[in-house]
């Protein structure tokens, strides 16, 4: 007799995901070259998955250095997962700047 309030999760998608994860064998690799081209060259198989961070980029930095994530998304033959930065990254950078400039930090500024 099933318990009240609990439902069984669908078995199909999870079972398939577990099987695929069991066959996944990540590996480390060192490649020289420009970042975008090197990543696209290494992850050229249809079974590959390329995971790149998007990073928060200031307009001047964006002008001087092209985005690796954008390059990968437009040139890769495999699927590309672009991961945005954490929402806490901006707060961390703010605290770091205050430490560099030795500006006192009020802990109440860190709470949302």
């Amino acid at each position: 007799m099933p318990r009240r309030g609990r439902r069984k999760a669908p078995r199909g998608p999870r079972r398939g995901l577990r099987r695929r994860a069991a066959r996944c064998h990540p590996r480390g690799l060192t490649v020289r070259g420009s970042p975008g081209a090197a990543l696209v060259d290494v992850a050229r198989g249809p079974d590959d998955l390329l995971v790149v961070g998007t990073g928060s980029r200031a307009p001047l930095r964006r002008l001087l250095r092209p985005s690796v994530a954008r390059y990968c998304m437009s040139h890769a033959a495999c699927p590309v997962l672009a991961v945005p930065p954490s929402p806490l990254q901006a707060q961390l950078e703010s605290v770091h700047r205050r430490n560099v400039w030795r500006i006192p930090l009020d802990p109440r500024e860190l709470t949302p």
Side-chain angles (χ1 to χ4, degrees), residues 91-101:
Q91 286 185 353
L92 180 64
E93 289 171 357
S94 172
V95 170
H96 179 69
R97 278 192 301 274
R98 285 175 173 268
N99 287 340
V100 168
W101 291 98

Side-chain angles (χ1 to χ4, degrees), residues 40-101:
V40 168
D41 189 44
V42 169
R44 62 179 150 230
D47 293 338
D48 291 334
L49 173 66
L50 189 56
V51 181
V52 292
T54 57
S56 58
R57 296 166 49 92
L60 181 62
R61 211 178 262 174
R62 195 176 304 146
L63 212 119
L64 296 176
R65 287 190 290 173
S67 171
V68 173
R70 283 186 182 189
Y71 182 89
C72 292
M73 286 191 287
S74 62
H75 292 89
C78 66
V80 178
L81 176 63
V83 181
S86 167
L88 298 175
Q89 185 68 29
Q91 286 185 353
L92 180 64
E93 289 171 357
S94 172
V95 170
H96 179 69
R97 278 192 301 274
R98 285 175 173 268
N99 287 340
V100 168
W101 291 98

Side-chain angles (χ1 to χ4, degrees), residues 9-17 19:
R11 296 183 120 198
R14 284 190 178 179
R15 184 181 296 158
L17 186 60
R19 268 192 243 133

